[in-house]
Amino acid sequence: MKSTVAYRPQTRHAVLPALLVLALLGGCGREPASYTEDAPKVSAGQIQFPAGSRQLDVLRSEAVTAGASASLQLPGRVVWDETRSSALRTPLAGQVARIEAQPGQKVKAGQVIAWITSPEFGQAQAEGVRGRAELQQARKELERTRELHAAGVASGRELDEAEANFAGSQADHARAAAFAKAYGNGQHVDQRLPLRAPIDGVLVERRMSPGMTVSPDSEQPLAVIGDPDRLWLLLDVPESLAGRLKAGMQVSVSGADGQPLQATLQHVDDFVDSERRVVQARAELDNRARGFKAGQYVRAQVALPAEGGVSLPDAAVLLIDGKQVVFVEEGKGHFVRHAVHAEELGDGRLWVREGLAAGARVVVEGGLLLQQLADSAPAAASSGTGHAAP
């Protein structure tokens, strides 16, 4: 029975051995004259090539590396530190009337960044003015009714109504006052809504211009205030590797000047992104040298500690009938198939905890040729070559 071989999308280098074995073992329906001299002996997953076999030319082995210490290559992006930044959006629809701050300018909390002309805000201002007038009127009416009630002229019911009206006016005025305090500029009816900085920092982004129509539903903020000296590095970790990353691990990332910057992982999410199937990890970048920009995509390296076992190139591992196998070179022209359990290390490397000794040489080119030869063993035995099936 033929084995199913698949591990990664095969390149032309992986397909070449399969074509060569067909040429060496088949060939227009007749056996080449040199086959009996060049044919390997195959038995129970072991393949022995005769000295000088031409098939050895397409095989290349590489020694495995002791330990699983590796440097993961992970994609990442640089973003604003959410604890040191704030995105400004308009709370009400309107039109940008005036801009008071420029990108790169330091601002203080409460400072006006821009003025927005908003009819909705003007209506709220008018309600505030009306509420103050109604509160004053309700207070006077309550005082008059109390005097009349004390003189026996006004009934208790009239006094109760005056107190209720005054309480309602107080509530309306308190709501309008809270609105004015939240958005500012509520003492006059001029429809000018101030967009204020909520924190101290630097105006690092500005996406508005005079006359621009703005809305609370806009996807992009009108401005961002942040601290460019401190940024976050967000890493996308494949879910198969997420368990190996811990807070406190060292991260290396290169800036625009090509110089690597060292950072420390601060957090690794406890959930997998359901759409991208990645786990997000976060590190803080010291950006006082201005080597990084928010929104920049980078490649980061995370140093993993040694955990025993060996690491090897991912090209060495084949998937045979649902099982991972490698071919180990155990002497000149002698190859043995071993079942392994390999895990991703990143950067084109896999980790095998047990089953392979440090220094063992595994086939990294020509593995498909060896598997084809192993599959051909039963047919060869039936034709009288004397090869045993693997």
Side-chain angles (χ1 to χ4, degrees), residues 110-162:
Q111 180 177 335
V112 175
I113 304 300
W115 292 94
I116 297 173
T117 300
S118 172
E120 187 176 350
F121 183 64
Q123 181 179 353
Q125 288 176 317
E127 290 178 357
V129 173
R130 185 183 304 111
R132 288 193 296 274
E134 291 177 350
L135 178 60
Q136 292 177 357
Q137 179 63 31
R139 179 179 290 108
K140 291 179 180 180
E141 182 66 22
L142 176 60
E143 292 173 353
R144 187 179 70 84
T145 304
R146 283 175 176 171
E147 292 176 357
L148 293 175
H149 182 266
V153 177
S155 65
R157 180 178 179 180
E158 290 175 325
L159 178 59
D160 292 340
E161 290 178 352

Side-chain angles (χ1 to χ4, degrees), residues 31 35-36 39-44 46 48 373 376-390:
E31 187 177 348
Y35 173 74
T36 55
K41 296 179 181 180
V42 182
S43 174
Q46 299 193 37
Q48 178 66 60
L373 291 172
S376 70
S382 64
S383 63
T385 62
H387 298 328

Side-chain angles (χ1 to χ4, degrees), residues 49-60 332-333 335 369:
F49 290 91
S53 172
R54 292 173 298 170
Q55 298 178 72
L56 292 174
D57 295 338
V58 297
L59 302 177
R60 186 174 71 83
K332 186 62 175 177
F335 299 89
L369 166 61

Side-chain angles (χ1 to χ4, degrees), residues 356-374:
L356 292 176
R361 298 187 64 83
V362 293
V363 175
V364 295
E365 290 185 11
L368 288 177
L369 166 61
L370 297 178
Q371 183 57 37
Q372 290 282 356
L373 291 172

Side-chain angles (χ1 to χ4, degrees), residues 190-205:
D190 58 7
Q191 301 190 110
R192 298 180 72 221
L193 172 66
L195 191 66
R196 299 181 184 273
I199 60 173
D200 294 346
V202 176
L203 182 61
V204 291
E205 292 185 47

